[in-house]
Amino acid sequence: MSRRRAALASTTAAITWAALEPLDRRLVRHDYSDVAVLGKFVTRSRWWPAAGLALHAVNGAAFGLAFDTARRRVRVPPQRLALGLALAEHVTLFPLGALVDRAHPARGEAGLAPLFSVRAFVQATARHALFGALLGRLAR
């Protein structure tokens, strides 16, 4: 697999995640959106959804490059590695939600329900699992 293909696969997984956010927000009954967190951090204009999606896609591409580097160095099947790395990233970065809850310029607006909560943890776990599983499948 080329680095370009890994980045593209991971970007595809990130965009799929973003497309499914409205569904998990309804299922979990928690108004937390990664697209909103990212987009409303960089702009408060009507363009925040495009900005958030673009940043989410770029984050996905960066993760894909890191995944590709790890894949070349360890003897773990790509599907297991992608899922494991995605969930490890989630568990490692989740505590930063407390900082976002206090310091985000748009806190309290739609899509920015508390990030350091049980519901947000459940949402983020499902999102990262979907992302990792999809990346692993696309990376085969």
Side-chain angles (χ1 to χ4, degrees):
M1 166 184 275
S2 71
R3 293 181 63 72
R4 183 180 336 172
R5 184 168 172 197
L8 182 60
S10 196
T11 299
T12 300
I15 291 170
T16 302
W17 160 339
L20 293 175
E21 278 188 354
L23 176 63
D24 79 47
R25 288 161 71 184
R26 281 191 296 267
L27 288 173
V28 179
R29 294 181 317 219
H30 193 64
D31 189 29
Y32 150 47
S33 163
D34 287 282
V35 172
V37 169
L38 294 168
K40 290 181 179 184
F41 184 76
V42 297
T43 183
R44 304 298 287 289
S45 75
R46 65 184 177 136
W47 297 104
W48 71 260
L53 184 59
L55 287 171
H56 202 256
V58 168
N59 286 345
F63 188 94
L65 294 174
F67 162 75
D68 185 64
T69 299
R71 185 188 59 77
R72 293 172 190 271
R73 294 182 181 177
V74 299
R75 291 188 169 270
V76 176
Q79 289 177 298
R80 184 178 296 164
L81 180 63
L83 181 59
L85 288 174
L87 291 173
E89 182 216 25
H90 160 52
V91 171
T92 302
L93 296 179
F94 183 77
L96 292 177
L99 176 63
V100 174
D101 288 344
R102 285 195 318 269
H104 197 287
R107 65 187 176 272
E109 290 187 11
L112 274 88
L115 297 178
F116 196 65
S117 69
V118 172
R119 286 180 191 251
F121 186 83
V122 169
Q123 276 178 305
T125 301
R127 291 172 182 178
H128 281 84
L130 168 75
F131 173 83
L134 187 53
L135 171 57
R137 187 165 182 84
L138 294 171
R140 288 191 306 182

